[in-house]
Amino acid sequence: MEVLSRVSRLSRHLDLARREAFADQDLDGWEFDVLSALRRAGEPYQLSPGQLLRETLVTSGTMTNRIDRLTSRGFVERLPDPADRRGVQVRLTDEGRSVVDAALEALLSRERQLLAALGDDDAGRLSALLRGLLLPFDAPDGS
């Protein structure tokens, strides 16, 4: 209980830091999740809706709604999929890339503040311990 209560409290602080970092860019958390998935894809910063589903763990209906909303804000655009005439690719626009990059920098700054009390060695040990706790949840079969 000691450990998980502290993890839970830290999670609340991280959620608050995320909300603040994203609010600076007028983004919701889900918007950052989709935009950052596209950014992580590398040039040309595009993925299929199915790939975005796997990256963000939402349903197809939810993803369609999210892509629509991000398109209306000018952060992404839909392009025909050259490999599948029925499909589309979702690409990050220059504006979307600027916004997600600024939000990421703000988030990293807040995360550094959260971890400021730890030295590099302690942060490394904590990271390794948390990785070990998360491994079962990250297994492909979910077990």
Side-chain angles (χ1 to χ4, degrees):
M1 188 168 162
E2 268 181 19
V3 172
L4 295 182
S5 291
R6 287 183 175 115
V7 168
S8 179
R9 286 177 52 210
L10 186 57
S11 174
R12 286 193 293 274
H13 288 287
L14 182 56
D15 286 343
L16 179 60
R18 285 175 57 93
R19 282 194 302 271
E20 290 171 351
F22 303 154
D24 290 348
Q25 297 302 315
D26 193 28
L27 285 179
D28 286 330
W30 67 264
E31 291 173 307
F32 178 81
D33 291 343
V34 174
L35 296 175
S36 64
L38 291 165
R39 185 69 165 106
R40 284 190 309 272
E43 294 263 6
Y45 310 115
Q46 71 183 35
L47 295 169
S48 71
Q51 290 169 308
L52 282 170
L53 289 175
R54 288 186 290 282
E55 288 286 323
T56 60
L57 304 174
V58 298
T59 66
S60 61
T62 297
M63 183 53 67
T64 298
N65 183 321
R66 290 179 176 186
I67 293 168
D68 289 344
R69 290 172 67 184
L70 289 168
T71 300
S72 72
R73 293 194 67 188
F75 295 154
V76 302
E77 60 186 344
R78 284 185 175 94
L79 302 170
D81 186 338
D84 179 0
R85 291 188 325 193
R86 298 168 296 149
V88 297
Q89 292 284 307
V90 179
R91 181 181 293 169
L92 196 59
T93 63
D94 289 341
E95 182 180 358
R97 192 171 79 198
S98 294
V99 166
V100 74
D101 286 353
L104 178 60
E105 186 53 44
L107 177 60
L108 292 175
S109 174
R110 284 173 171 82
E111 288 179 352
R112 282 190 291 273
Q113 291 170 1
L114 284 173
L115 295 173
L118 295 179
D120 290 343
D121 289 344
D122 286 339
R125 279 193 292 279
L126 179 58
S127 178
L129 291 168
L130 292 172
R131 185 180 311 113
L133 282 175
L134 287 170
L135 279 174
F137 300 102
D138 293 338
D141 63 0
S143 60

